[in-house]
Amino acid sequence: MIILNQDLELVNFDRLAKVSIFSGEIENTTVYAIVAFESVSDDDNEDAISPDALMLGIYNNESECSEVFLSLCEAIENGKNMYRMPEPANEGVTS
């Protein structure tokens, strides 16, 4: 499957080792994001975003982020060829 992230970059899902939800502070702003990794490390810090992370989408709150994550999981389960990461509900958040 191909994922089109919010920056309009194509990401090959089959090459990813991990996709997860990240919530934390970036530049003094709380963010909720869906991130992907090409490899998994034992020292992954859940409170800090890894420089190796591929940002798939940034959302306004935990609920919106979780809803999009579940939608992505459903697309994977249903064997979709492509999934486009939706923009946040409030366009005040940029990726």
Side-chain angles (χ1 to χ4, degrees):
M1 176 170 59
I2 299 296
I3 299 171
L4 181 64
N5 70 10
Q6 289 175 340
D7 290 331
L8 302 179
E9 298 169 330
L10 297 172
V11 178
N12 184 347
F13 175 78
D14 296 332
R15 303 285 304 231
L16 300 176
K18 177 180 171 182
V19 176
S20 63
I21 293 175
F22 168 81
S23 62
E25 297 284 325
I26 296 178
E27 296 179 8
N28 297 323
T29 302
T30 301
V31 296
Y32 303 91
I34 299 174
V35 295
F37 302 88
E38 291 179 340
S39 63
V40 179
S41 171
D42 289 339
D43 61 345
D44 280 347
N45 182 351
E46 298 292 329
D47 298 327
I49 192 114
S50 166
D52 297 332
L54 264 121
M55 192 72 64
L56 298 178
I58 299 176
Y59 297 96
N60 298 308
N61 54 54
E62 187 174 2
S63 174
E64 181 181 23
C65 192
S66 293
E67 185 176 311
V68 172
F69 184 79
L70 291 175
S71 174
L72 174 60
C73 291
E74 184 176 310
I76 294 164
E77 184 178 346
N78 291 328
K80 300 283 184 188
N81 291 327
M82 184 169 198
Y83 181 83
R84 183 180 185 135
M85 298 300 293
E87 293 296 322
N90 177 355
E91 290 301 317
V93 174
T94 59
S95 58

Coordinates of all heavy atoms in Angstrom, one line a residue:
M1 N 0.8 -1.2 0.0 CA 0.0 0.0 0.0 C 0.9 1.2 0.0 O 2.0 1.2 0.6 CB -0.9 0.0 1.2 CG -1.7 1.3 1.3 SD -3.0 1.4 2.5 CE -2.2 1.2 4.0
I2 N 0.4 2.3 -0.6 CA 1.1 3.6 -0.6 C 0.3 4.5 0.3 O -1.0 4.6 0.2 CB 1.1 4.2 -2.1 CG1 1.9 3.2 -3.0 CG2 1.7 5.6 -2.1 CD1 3.4 3.1 -2.6
I3 N 1.0 5.3 1.1 CA 0.4 6.3 1.9 C 0.8 7.6 1.4 O 2.0 7.9 1.2 CB 0.8 6.1 3.4 CG1 0.3 4.8 4.0 CG2 0.2 7.3 4.3 CD1 0.9 4.4 5.3
L4 N -0.2 8.5 1.1 CA 0.1 9.9 0.8 C 0.0 10.7 2.0 O -1.1 10.9 2.6 CB -0.9 10.4 -0.3 CG -0.7 11.8 -0.8 CD1 0.7 11.9 -1.6 CD2 -1.8 12.2 -1.8
N5 N 1.2 11.2 2.5 CA 1.1 12.0 3.8 C 0.6 13.4 3.5 O 0.4 13.8 2.4 CB 2.5 11.9 4.5 CG 3.6 12.7 3.8 OD1 3.4 13.5 2.9 ND2 4.8 12.5 4.3
Q6 N 0.5 14.2 4.6 CA 0.0 15.6 4.5 C 0.9 16.5 3.7 O 0.5 17.5 3.2 CB -0.3 16.1 5.9 CG -1.5 15.5 6.5 CD -1.7 16.0 7.9 OE1 -0.8 16.5 8.6 NE2 -2.9 15.8 8.4
D7 N 2.2 16.1 3.5 CA 3.1 16.9 2.8 C 3.2 16.5 1.3 O 4.0 16.9 0.5 CB 4.6 16.8 3.3 CG 4.7 17.5 4.7 OD1 4.0 18.5 4.9 OD2 5.5 17.0 5.5
L8 N 2.2 15.6 0.9 CA 2.0 15.1 -0.4 C 3.2 14.3 -0.9 O 3.6 14.3 -2.0 CB 1.7 16.2 -1.4 CG 0.5 17.0 -1.1 CD1 0.3 18.1 -2.1 CD2 -0.8 16.2 -1.0
E9 N 3.8 13.5 0.1 CA 4.9 12.6 -0.2 C 4.3 11.2 -0.2 O 3.5 10.9 0.6 CB 6.0 12.7 0.9 CG 6.7 14.1 0.9 CD 7.5 14.2 2.2 OE1 7.3 13.6 3.2 OE2 8.5 15.0 2.0
L10 N 4.8 10.4 -1.1 CA 4.3 9.0 -1.2 C 5.2 8.1 -0.3 O 6.4 8.2 -0.4 CB 4.4 8.5 -2.6 CG 3.5 9.2 -3.6 CD1 3.8 8.7 -5.0 CD2 2.0 9.0 -3.2
V11 N 4.6 7.3 0.6 CA 5.3 6.5 1.5 C 4.9 5.0 1.2 O 3.7 4.7 1.2 CB 5.0 6.9 3.0 CG1 5.7 5.9 3.9 CG2 5.3 8.3 3.3
N12 N 5.9 4.2 1.0 CA 5.6 2.8 0.8 C 5.4 2.1 2.1 O 6.4 1.8 2.9 CB 6.8 2.1 0.0 CG 6.6 0.7 -0.3 OD1 5.7 0.0 0.2 ND2 7.4 0.2 -1.2
F13 N 4.2 1.7 2.4 CA 3.9 1.1 3.7 C 4.6 -0.2 3.9 O 5.0 -0.6 5.0 CB 2.3 0.8 3.8 CG 1.9 0.1 5.0 CD1 1.9 0.7 6.2 CD2 1.7 -1.3 5.0 CE1 1.5 0.0 7.4 CE2 1.3 -2.0 6.1 CZ 1.2 -1.3 7.3
D14 N 4.8 -1.0 2.8 CA 5.5 -2.3 2.9 C 7.0 -2.2 3.4 O 7.5 -3.1 3.9 CB 5.5 -3.0 1.6 CG 4.1 -3.3 1.2 OD1 3.2 -3.5 2.0 OD2 3.8 -3.4 -0.1
R15 N 7.5 -1.0 3.4 CA 8.9 -0.7 3.8 C 9.0 -0.3 5.3 O 10.1 -0.1 5.8 CB 9.6 0.3 2.9 CG 9.7 -0.1 1.4 CD 10.7 -1.1 1.1 NE 12.0 -0.7 1.6 CZ 13.1 -0.8 0.9 NH1 13.0 -1.2 -0.4 NH2 14.2 -0.4 1.4
L16 N 7.8 -0.1 5.9 CA 7.8 0.5 7.3 C 7.8 -0.7 8.3 O 7.2 -1.7 8.1 CB 6.6 1.3 7.5 CG 6.5 2.5 6.5 CD1 5.1 3.3 6.8 CD2 7.6 3.5 6.7
A17 N 8.5 -0.4 9.4 CA 8.5 -1.4 10.5 C 7.5 -1.1 11.6 O 7.1 -1.9 12.3 CB 9.9 -1.4 11.1
K18 N 7.1 0.2 11.6 CA 6.2 0.6 12.7 C 5.5 1.9 12.3 O 6.1 2.8 11.7 CB 7.1 0.9 14.0 CG 6.3 1.4 15.2 CD 7.3 1.6 16.4 CE 6.6 2.3 17.5 NZ 7.6 2.5 18.6
V19 N 4.2 2.0 12.6 CA 3.4 3.2 12.5 C 2.7 3.4 13.9 O 2.1 2.4 14.4 CB 2.4 3.1 11.4 CG1 1.5 4.3 11.3 CG2 3.0 2.9 10.0
S20 N 2.8 4.6 14.4 CA 2.2 4.8 15.7 C 1.7 6.2 15.9 O 2.0 7.1 15.1 CB 3.2 4.4 16.8 OG 4.3 5.2 16.8
I21 N 1.0 6.4 17.0 CA 0.5 7.7 17.4 C 1.6 8.3 18.3 O 2.1 7.7 19.2 CB -0.8 7.7 18.1 CG1 -1.9 7.2 17.1 CG2 -1.2 9.0 18.7 CD1 -3.3 7.0 17.7
F22 N 1.9 9.6 18.1 CA 2.8 10.4 19.0 C 2.0 11.6 19.5 O 1.3 12.2 18.8 CB 4.0 10.8 18.2 CG 4.8 11.9 18.9 CD1 5.7 11.5 19.9 CD2 4.7 13.2 18.7 CE1 6.5 12.4 20.6 CE2 5.4 14.2 19.4 CZ 6.3 13.7 20.3
S23 N 2.1 11.8 20.8 CA 1.6 13.0 21.4 C 2.7 13.6 22.3 O 3.3 12.8 23.0 CB 0.3 12.8 22.1 OG 0.5 11.9 23.2
G24 N 3.0 14.8 22.1 CA 4.0 15.4 22.9 C 4.2 16.9 22.5 O 3.5 17.5 21.8
E25 N 5.3 17.5 23.1 CA 5.6 18.9 22.8 C 6.7 19.0 21.7 O 7.7 18.3 21.8 CB 6.2 19.5 24.1 CG 5.2 19.5 25.3 CD 4.2 20.6 25.1 OE1 4.5 21.7 24.6 OE2 3.0 20.4 25.6
I26 N 6.4 19.9 20.8 CA 7.3 20.3 19.8 C 7.3 21.8 19.7 O 6.2 22.4 19.4 CB 7.0 19.7 18.4 CG1 7.1 18.1 18.4 CG2 7.9 20.2 17.3 CD1 6.7 17.5 17.1
E27 N 8.4 22.4 20.0 CA 8.5 23.9 20.0 C 7.4 24.5 20.9 O 6.7 25.4 20.5 CB 8.5 24.4 18.6 CG 9.7 24.0 17.8 CD 9.6 24.5 16.3 OE1 8.8 25.3 16.0 OE2 10.5 24.0 15.6
N28 N 7.2 24.0 22.1 CA 6.3 24.5 23.1 C 4.8 24.4 22.7 O 4.0 25.1 23.2 CB 6.6 25.9 23.5 CG 8.0 26.0 24.1 OD1 8.4 25.1 24.9 ND2 8.7 27.1 23.8
T29 N 4.5 23.5 21.7 CA 3.2 23.2 21.3 C 2.9 21.7 21.4 O 3.7 20.9 21.0 CB 3.0 23.7 19.8 OG1 3.3 25.1 19.7 CG2 1.6 23.5 19.3
T30 N 1.7 21.4 22.0 CA 1.3 20.0 22.1 C 0.8 19.6 20.7 O 0.0 20.2 20.1 CB 0.2 19.8 23.1 OG1 0.7 20.3 24.4 CG2 -0.2 18.4 23.2
V31 N 1.4 18.5 20.2 CA 1.0 18.0 18.9 C 0.5 16.5 19.1 O 0.9 15.8 20.0 CB 2.1 18.0 17.9 CG1 2.5 19.5 17.6 CG2 3.3 17.2 18.3
Y32 N -0.3 16.1 18.2 CA -0.8 14.8 18.1 C -0.6 14.3 16.6 O -1.1 15.0 15.7 CB -2.3 14.7 18.4 CG -2.6 15.3 19.7 CD1 -2.9 16.6 19.9 CD2 -2.6 14.5 20.9 CE1 -3.2 17.1 21.2 CE2 -2.8 15.0 22.1 CZ -3.1 16.3 22.3 OH -3.4 16.8 23.5
A33 N 0.2 13.3 16.4 CA 0.7 13.0 15.1 C 0.7 11.5 14.9 O 0.8 10.7 15.8 CB 2.1 13.5 14.9
I34 N 0.6 11.1 13.6 CA 0.8 9.7 13.2 C 2.1 9.7 12.5 O 2.4 10.4 11.6 CB -0.3 9.2 12.3 CG1 -1.7 9.3 13.1 CG2 -0.1 7.8 11.8 CD1 -2.9 9.0 12.2
V35 N 3.0 8.8 13.1 CA 4.4 8.8 12.6 C 4.7 7.3 12.2 O 4.1 6.4 12.7 CB 5.4 9.3 13.6 CG1 5.2 10.7 13.9 CG2 5.3 8.5 14.9
A36 N 5.7 7.2 11.3 CA 6.1 5.9 10.8 C 7.6 5.8 10.9 O 8.4 6.8 10.9 CB 5.7 5.8 9.3
F37 N 8.1 4.6 11.0 CA 9.5 4.3 11.2 C 9.9 3.2 10.2 O 9.2 2.2 10.1 CB 9.8 3.9 12.6 CG 9.4 4.9 13.7 CD1 8.2 4.9 14.2 CD2 10.3 5.9 14.0 CE1 7.8 5.8 15.1 CE2 10.0 6.8 15.0 CZ 8.7 6.8 15.5
E38 N 11.1 3.3 9.6 CA 11.6 2.2 8.8 C 12.3 1.1 9.6 O 12.5 0.0 9.0 CB 12.5 2.8 7.7 CG 11.8 3.7 6.7 CD 12.7 4.3 5.7 OE1 14.0 4.4 6.0 OE2 12.2 4.7 4.7
S39 N 12.6 1.4 10.8 CA 13.2 0.4 11.7 C 12.7 0.6 13.1 O 12.2 1.7 13.4 CB 14.7 0.4 11.7 OG 15.2 1.6 12.1
V40 N 12.8 -0.4 13.9 CA 12.3 -0.3 15.3 C 13.6 -0.4 16.2 O 14.4 -1.3 16.1 CB 11.3 -1.4 15.7 CG1 10.9 -1.2 17.1 CG2 10.1 -1.3 14.8
S41 N 13.7 0.5 17.2 CA 14.8 0.6 18.1 C 14.3 0.2 19.5 O 13.2 0.6 19.9 CB 15.5 1.9 18.0 OG 16.4 2.1 19.1
D42 N 15.2 -0.4 20.2 CA 14.9 -0.7 21.6 C 14.8 0.5 22.5 O 14.2 0.5 23.5 CB 15.9 -1.7 22.2 CG 15.7 -3.1 21.7 OD1 14.7 -3.4 21.1 OD2 16.7 -3.9 21.7
D43 N 15.5 1.6 22.1 CA 15.5 2.8 22.9 C 14.5 3.8 22.4 O 14.7 5.0 22.7 CB 16.9 3.4 22.9 CG 17.5 3.8 21.6 OD1 16.8 3.4 20.6 OD2 18.5 4.5 21.5
D44 N 13.4 3.4 21.8 CA 12.4 4.4 21.4 C 11.9 5.1 22.6 O 11.5 4.4 23.6 CB 11.2 3.7 20.7 CG 11.5 3.3 19.2 OD1 12.5 3.9 18.7 OD2 10.8 2.6 18.6
N45 N 11.9 6.4 22.6 CA 11.4 7.2 23.7 C 10.0 7.7 23.3 O 9.8 8.5 22.3 CB 12.3 8.4 23.9 CG 11.9 9.2 25.1 OD1 10.8 9.1 25.6 ND2 12.7 10.2 25.5
E46 N 9.0 7.3 24.0 CA 7.6 7.6 23.7 C 7.3 9.1 23.9 O 6.4 9.7 23.3 CB 6.6 6.8 24.5 CG 6.7 5.3 24.3 CD 6.2 4.9 23.0 OE1 5.3 5.6 22.4 OE2 6.7 3.9 22.4
D47 N 8.2 9.8 24.6 CA 7.9 11.2 24.9 C 8.7 12.2 24.0 O 8.5 13.4 24.0 CB 8.4 11.6 26.4 CG 7.6 10.8 27.4 OD1 6.4 10.5 27.1 OD2 8.2 10.4 28.4
A48 N 9.5 11.7 23.1 CA 10.2 12.5 22.2 C 10.1 11.9 20.8 O 10.1 10.7 20.6 CB 11.7 12.6 22.6
I49 N 10.0 12.8 19.8 CA 9.9 12.4 18.4 C 11.3 12.1 17.9 O 12.2 12.9 18.1 CB 9.1 13.4 17.5 CG1 8.8 12.8 16.2 CG2 9.9 14.6 17.3 CD1 7.4 12.6 16.0
S50 N 11.5 10.9 17.3 CA 12.7 10.5 16.8 C 13.0 11.3 15.5 O 12.1 11.5 14.7 CB 12.7 9.0 16.5 OG 13.8 8.6 15.7
P51 N 14.3 11.6 15.3 CA 14.7 12.3 14.0 C 14.5 11.4 12.8 O 14.4 11.8 11.7 CB 16.1 12.7 14.2 CG 16.6 11.9 15.4 CD 15.4 11.5 16.2
D52 N 14.4 10.1 13.1 CA 14.2 9.1 12.0 C 12.7 8.9 11.6 O 12.4 8.2 10.7 CB 14.7 7.7 12.4 CG 16.2 7.8 12.6 OD1 16.9 8.6 11.9 OD2 16.8 7.0 13.4
A53 N 11.8 9.5 12.4 CA 10.4 9.4 12.2 C 9.9 10.1 10.9 O 10.4 11.2 10.6 CB 9.6 9.9 13.4
L54 N 9.0 9.4 10.2 CA 8.4 10.0 9.0 C 7.0 10.5 9.5 O 6.2 9.7 10.0 CB 8.1 8.9 8.0 CG 9.2 8.8 6.9 CD1 9.7 7.4 6.9 CD2 8.5 9.1 5.6
M55 N 6.8 11.8 9.4 CA 5.5 12.4 9.8 C 4.5 12.1 8.7 O 4.6 12.6 7.6 CB 5.7 13.9 10.0 CG 4.6 14.5 10.7 SD 4.5 14.2 12.5 CE 6.0 14.8 13.1
L56 N 3.5 11.4 9.1 CA 2.4 11.1 8.1 C 1.3 12.1 8.2 O 0.7 12.5 7.2 CB 1.8 9.7 8.4 CG 2.8 8.5 8.2 CD1 2.1 7.2 8.5 CD2 3.4 8.5 6.8
G57 N 1.0 12.5 9.5 CA -0.1 13.5 9.7 C -0.1 14.1 11.0 O 0.3 13.4 12.0
I58 N -0.5 15.4 11.2 CA -0.5 16.1 12.4 C -2.0 16.5 12.6 O -2.6 17.0 11.7 CB 0.4 17.3 12.5 CG1 1.8 16.9 12.3 CG2 0.2 18.1 13.8 CD1 2.8 18.1 12.2
Y59 N -2.5 16.3 13.9 CA -3.9 16.5 14.1 C -4.1 17.4 15.4 O -3.2 17.6 16.2 CB -4.6 15.2 14.3 CG -4.6 14.5 12.9 CD1 -3.6 13.5 12.7 CD2 -5.4 14.9 11.9 CE1 -3.4 13.0 11.5 CE2 -5.2 14.3 10.6 CZ -4.3 13.3 10.4 OH -4.1 12.8 9.2
N60 N -5.3 17.9 15.5 CA -5.6 18.9 16.6 C -5.7 18.4 18.0 O -5.4 19.1 18.9 CB -7.0 19.6 16.2 CG -6.9 20.3 14.9 OD1 -6.0 21.1 14.7 ND2 -7.9 20.0 14.0
N61 N -6.1 17.1 18.1 CA -6.3 16.5 19.4 C -6.2 15.0 19.4 O -6.1 14.5 18.3 CB -7.7 17.0 20.0 CG -8.8 16.6 19.1 OD1 -9.0 15.5 18.7 ND2 -9.7 17.6 18.8
E62 N -6.2 14.4 20.5 CA -6.0 13.0 20.6 C -7.1 12.2 19.9 O -6.8 11.2 19.2 CB -5.8 12.6 22.1 CG -5.5 11.1 22.3 CD -5.2 10.8 23.7 OE1 -5.4 11.7 24.6 OE2 -4.9 9.6 24.0
S63 N -8.3 12.7 20.1 CA -9.5 12.0 19.5 C -9.4 12.0 18.0 O -9.6 10.9 17.3 CB -10.7 12.7 20.0 OG -11.9 12.1 19.3
E64 N -9.1 13.1 17.4 CA -9.0 13.2 15.9 C -7.9 12.3 15.4 O -8.0 11.6 14.4 CB -8.8 14.7 15.5 CG -8.7 14.9 14.0 CD -8.4 16.3 13.6 OE1 -7.9 17.1 14.5 OE2 -8.8 16.6 12.5
C65 N -6.7 12.4 16.1 CA -5.6 11.6 15.7 C -5.9 10.1 15.8 O -5.6 9.3 14.8 CB -4.4 11.9 16.6 SG -2.8 11.3 16.0
S66 N -6.5 9.6 16.8 CA -6.9 8.2 17.0 C -7.9 7.8 15.9 O -7.8 6.7 15.4 CB -7.5 8.0 18.4 OG -6.6 8.2 19.4
E67 N -8.8 8.7 15.6 CA -9.8 8.4 14.5 C -9.1 8.1 13.2 O -9.5 7.2 12.5 CB -10.8 9.5 14.4 CG -12.0 9.3 13.5 CD -13.0 10.4 13.5 OE1 -13.4 10.8 14.6 OE2 -13.3 10.9 12.4
V68 N -8.2 9.0 12.8 CA -7.5 8.8 11.6 C -6.6 7.6 11.6 O -6.5 6.8 10.6 CB -6.6 10.1 11.3 CG1 -5.7 9.8 10.1 CG2 -7.5 11.3 11.0
F69 N -6.0 7.3 12.8 CA -5.2 6.1 12.9 C -6.0 4.8 12.7 O -5.6 3.9 11.9 CB -4.5 6.0 14.3 CG -3.5 4.9 14.4 CD1 -2.3 4.9 13.9 CD2 -3.9 3.8 15.2 CE1 -1.4 3.8 14.0 CE2 -3.1 2.7 15.3 CZ -1.8 2.7 14.7
L70 N -7.2 4.8 13.3 CA -8.1 3.7 13.1 C -8.5 3.5 11.6 O -8.7 2.4 11.1 CB -9.3 3.8 14.0 CG -9.0 3.6 15.5 CD1 -10.2 3.8 16.3 CD2 -8.4 2.2 15.8
S71 N -8.7 4.7 10.9 CA -9.1 4.7 9.5 C -8.0 4.1 8.7 O -8.2 3.3 7.7 CB -9.4 6.1 9.1 OG -9.6 6.2 7.7
L72 N -6.7 4.5 9.0 CA -5.6 3.9 8.3 C -5.5 2.4 8.6 O -5.3 1.6 7.6 CB -4.3 4.6 8.8 CG -2.9 4.0 8.3 CD1 -2.9 4.1 6.8 CD2 -1.8 4.8 8.9
C73 N -5.7 1.9 9.8 CA -5.7 0.5 10.1 C -6.8 -0.2 9.3 O -6.5 -1.3 8.8 CB -5.9 0.3 11.6 SG -4.6 0.8 12.6
E74 N -7.9 0.4 9.2 CA -9.0 -0.2 8.4 C -8.6 -0.4 6.9 O -8.9 -1.4 6.3 CB -10.3 0.6 8.5 CG -11.5 0.0 7.9 CD -12.7 0.8 8.1 OE1 -13.0 1.2 9.3 OE2 -13.4 1.1 7.1
A75 N -8.0 0.7 6.4 CA -7.5 0.6 5.0 C -6.5 -0.5 4.8 O -6.6 -1.2 3.8 CB -6.9 2.0 4.6
I76 N -5.6 -0.7 5.7 CA -4.6 -1.8 5.7 C -5.3 -3.1 5.7 O -5.1 -4.0 4.9 CB -3.6 -1.6 6.8 CG1 -2.8 -0.4 6.6 CG2 -2.7 -2.9 6.9 CD1 -2.0 0.1 7.9
E77 N -6.2 -3.2 6.6 CA -7.0 -4.5 6.8 C -7.8 -4.9 5.6 O -7.9 -6.0 5.2 CB -7.9 -4.4 8.0 CG -8.7 -5.6 8.3 CD -9.5 -5.5 9.6 OE1 -9.4 -4.5 10.3 OE2 -10.4 -6.4 9.8
N78 N -8.3 -3.9 4.9 CA -9.1 -4.1 3.7 C -8.3 -4.2 2.4 O -8.9 -4.3 1.3 CB -10.2 -3.0 3.6 CG -11.2 -3.1 4.6 OD1 -11.6 -4.2 5.1 ND2 -11.8 -2.0 5.1
G79 N -7.0 -4.1 2.5 CA -6.1 -4.3 1.4 C -6.2 -3.1 0.4 O -6.0 -3.4 -0.8
K80 N -6.4 -1.9 0.8 CA -6.4 -0.8 -0.1 C -5.1 -0.6 -0.7 O -4.0 -0.8 -0.1 CB -6.8 0.5 0.7 CG -8.2 0.5 1.3 CD -9.3 0.6 0.3 CE -10.6 0.7 0.9 NZ -11.7 0.7 0.0
N81 N -5.0 -0.1 -1.9 CA -3.8 0.2 -2.6 C -3.2 1.5 -2.2 O -1.9 1.7 -2.2 CB -4.0 0.2 -4.2 CG -4.3 -1.2 -4.7 OD1 -3.8 -2.2 -4.2 ND2 -5.1 -1.2 -5.7
M82 N -4.0 2.5 -1.8 CA -3.5 3.8 -1.4 C -4.4 4.4 -0.3 O -5.6 4.1 -0.3 CB -3.5 4.7 -2.7 CG -3.0 6.1 -2.4 SD -2.7 6.9 -4.0 CE -1.6 8.2 -3.4
Y83 N -3.7 5.1 0.6 CA -4.5 5.8 1.6 C -3.9 7.2 1.7 O -2.7 7.4 1.8 CB -4.3 5.1 3.0 CG -5.0 5.8 4.1 CD1 -6.4 5.5 4.3 CD2 -4.4 6.7 4.9 CE1 -7.1 6.1 5.3 CE2 -5.1 7.3 5.9 CZ -6.4 7.0 6.1 OH -7.1 7.6 7.1
R84 N -4.8 8.2 1.6 CA -4.4 9.6 1.8 C -4.7 10.1 3.2 O -5.8 10.0 3.7 CB -5.2 10.5 0.8 CG -4.8 11.9 0.8 CD -5.5 12.7 -0.2 NE -5.0 14.1 -0.2 CZ -4.7 14.8 -1.3 NH1 -4.9 14.3 -2.5 NH2 -4.2 16.0 -1.2
M85 N -3.6 10.5 3.9 CA -3.8 11.1 5.2 C -4.6 12.3 5.2 O -4.3 13.3 4.4 CB -2.4 11.4 5.8 CG -1.5 10.2 6.0 SD -2.1 8.9 7.0 CE -2.2 9.6 8.6
P86 N -5.8 12.4 5.9 CA -6.6 13.5 5.8 C -6.0 14.7 6.6 O -5.1 14.5 7.5 CB -7.9 13.1 6.6 CG -7.5 11.9 7.3 CD -6.3 11.3 6.7
E87 N -6.3 15.9 6.1 CA -5.9 17.1 6.8 C -6.6 17.2 8.1 O -7.7 16.6 8.3 CB -6.2 18.3 5.9 CG -5.4 18.4 4.6 CD -3.9 18.6 4.9 OE1 -3.5 19.3 5.8 OE2 -3.1 18.0 4.1
P88 N -6.1 18.0 9.1 CA -6.8 18.2 10.4 C -8.1 18.9 10.1 O -8.3 19.7 9.2 CB -5.8 19.0 11.2 CG -4.9 19.6 10.3 CD -4.8 18.7 9.1
A89 N -9.1 18.7 11.0 CA -10.4 19.3 10.9 C -10.3 20.8 10.9 O -11.0 21.5 10.2 CB -11.3 18.8 12.0
N90 N -9.4 21.4 11.7 CA -9.2 22.8 11.8 C -7.9 23.1 11.1 O -6.8 22.7 11.5 CB -9.1 23.2 13.3 CG -8.8 24.7 13.5 OD1 -8.5 25.4 12.5 ND2 -8.8 25.1 14.7
E91 N -8.0 23.9 10.0 CA -6.8 24.2 9.2 C -5.8 25.0 9.9 O -4.8 25.4 9.3 CB -7.3 24.8 7.9 CG -8.0 23.9 7.0 CD -7.2 22.7 6.6 OE1 -6.0 22.8 6.3 OE2 -7.7 21.6 6.6
G92 N -6.0 25.4 11.2 CA -5.0 26.2 11.9 C -3.8 25.4 12.2 O -2.8 25.9 12.6
V93 N -3.9 24.0 12.1 CA -2.7 23.1 12.4 C -2.1 22.8 11.0 O -2.8 22.4 10.1 CB -3.2 21.8 13.1 CG1 -2.0 20.9 13.2 CG2 -3.8 22.2 14.4
T94 N -0.8 23.0 10.9 CA -0.1 22.7 9.6 C 0.8 21.6 9.8 O 1.3 21.3 10.9 CB 0.6 24.0 9.1 OG1 1.6 24.4 10.1 CG2 -0.3 25.1 8.8
S95 N 1.2 20.9 8.7 CA 2.1 19.8 8.8 C 3.5 20.3 8.2 O 3.6 21.3 7.7 CB 1.6 18.7 8.0 OG 1.3 19.0 6.7

